[in-house]
Amino acid sequence: MAIANEERLTKRSHWDKYWEDLDLPAVISKKDGTPLLQVEMEILGKYLPRGPLSILEIGGAPGQYLAYFHRQFGYDVSSLDYSPEGCKKTEENFKLLGIDGKVYQEDLFGDLTALPRFDIVFSMGLAEHFEDLSAVVEKHLELLKPGGILFIGMPNFRGINKFFLKRLAPEQLSMHNLDSMEIKRWKHFEHKFNLEKIFKGYIGGFEPMTFMARENDTSHSIWYLTARILNSLFHRRIRFFRKFNSM
């Protein structure tokens, strides 16, 4: 299956630039993570089995989630990413963390027949960068063993987050398929591919850090100042509103 360039909402050069200045090692931990990351890790811990199993992360640079899976679940970890710089960072990260992980520099919509199949295929913040959500899910499934586990996560840039991102970071917002973030639309590919649902839902909640990005002339706008104030308030002090605009 090929995919037209106009169906991709980001370019390879964007991701090369995104990863080139990343400091390593990159790790995640429940203790030091954001409230949203803590909830993510709770969901992963609840629904993923312990190893020994193989897991592939699609769009896996720089490997911080895979490092967590290796250490906490005992998984044999692999990353697939089409950014040369992202793959380089992932290899360096694995080396620094002492993890024997594999890195495949491949386009998800290229020829993947030579790759192995995995017990778990995982992606976080990838599928929403394409126009056709079902096509992305289908490519995930091509790399999954029969009876394996598919785990797809993405942010929710609708609602309150969309309001702020349109004003602070419209270019960033344009790189995302907002329709894919409406969870009722997931029924289409669930039925199409006859998937058995283990868990589906919005998690986390109102996190102003999500829209703290800023672009050029918006750097000193009232919206950015508002976002900073909200982030200061909600990050540690006010928990009630986290039930709104879940991720």
Side-chain angles (χ1 to χ4, degrees):
M1 175 191 296
I3 188 167
N5 286 332
E6 59 267 24
E7 295 184 69
R8 303 172 188 263
L9 300 178
T10 58
K11 297 180 179 180
R12 193 190 309 258
S13 57
H14 166 81
W15 294 111
D16 283 340
K17 184 177 181 180
Y18 184 87
W19 296 122
E20 64 182 0
D21 295 326
L22 179 72
D23 292 329
L24 297 176
V27 296
I28 62 172
S29 71
K30 188 172 182 178
K31 179 180 178 181
D32 300 325
T34 64
L36 175 60
L37 179 60
Q38 292 173 13
V39 176
E40 288 177 358
M41 295 168 79
E42 288 175 5
I43 295 295
L44 293 170
K46 183 175 182 179
Y47 292 101
L48 291 181
R50 264 45 185 181
L53 295 169
S54 61
I55 186 170
L56 173 73
E57 182 178 1
I58 300 176
Q64 73 270 39
Y65 279 95
L66 291 172
Y68 175 76
F69 289 135
H70 177 74
R71 291 175 168 178
Q72 299 296 320
F73 292 78
Y75 292 167
D76 178 22
V77 297
S78 298
S79 169
L80 184 149
D81 205 294
Y82 83 154
S83 163
E85 190 64 34
C87 289
K88 178 182 176 181
K89 289 290 186 179
T90 306
E91 290 172 342
E92 292 177 5
N93 201 34
F94 283 163
K95 184 176 181 180
L96 288 170
L97 297 173
I99 294 173
D100 184 20
K102 299 180 178 65
V103 178
Y104 300 98
Q105 185 183 324
E106 300 285 352
D107 187 333
L108 178 61
F109 285 90
D111 183 3
L112 304 178
T113 55
L115 270 65
R117 298 309 182 248
F118 299 85
D119 297 306
I120 303 169
V121 172
F122 169 86
S123 71
M124 184 69 76
L126 171 96
E128 73 277 8
H129 292 297
F130 297 85
E131 292 284 5
D132 190 340
L133 179 59
S134 290
V136 178
V137 173
E138 185 174 9
K139 295 301 292 186
H140 281 62
L141 293 172
E142 285 183 20
L143 294 165
L144 188 64
K145 291 180 181 179
I149 297 175
L150 174 66
F151 203 117
I152 295 177
M154 65 175 64
N156 181 11
F157 287 165
R158 299 165 64 85
I160 302 171
N161 293 331
K162 179 182 177 182
F163 176 86
F164 278 93
L165 283 169
K166 282 181 67 175
R167 290 155 177 82
L168 291 170
E171 183 178 345
Q172 177 184 323
L173 187 64
S174 71
M175 298 178 184
H176 298 81
N177 176 2
L178 300 187
D179 287 342
S180 69
M181 301 172 185
E182 189 173 4
I183 205 163
K184 66 182 181 181
R185 294 178 181 267
W186 288 36
K187 291 181 180 179
H188 173 72
F189 71 73
E190 291 169 355
H191 294 156
K192 180 177 180 179
F193 302 120
N194 194 29
L195 301 180
E196 178 185 347
K197 183 175 65 178
I198 300 174
F199 169 83
K200 180 176 71 172
Y202 292 107
I203 65 171
F206 180 51
E207 296 289 349
M209 180 61 73
T210 301
F211 46 76
M212 285 291 289
R214 51 180 173 164
E215 295 169 0
N216 300 326
D217 59 344
T218 64
S219 59
H220 299 292
S221 73
I222 186 63
W223 299 116
Y224 180 66
L225 293 175
T226 302
R228 290 191 62 179
I229 292 170
L230 288 173
N231 188 62
S232 177
L233 287 173
F234 283 80
H235 185 63
R236 300 186 184 279
R237 302 176 188 175
I238 304 177
R239 303 284 178 171
F240 173 77
F241 287 101
R242 284 213 166 91
K243 68 180 182 178
F244 299 106
N245 215 118
S246 299
M247 304 302 290

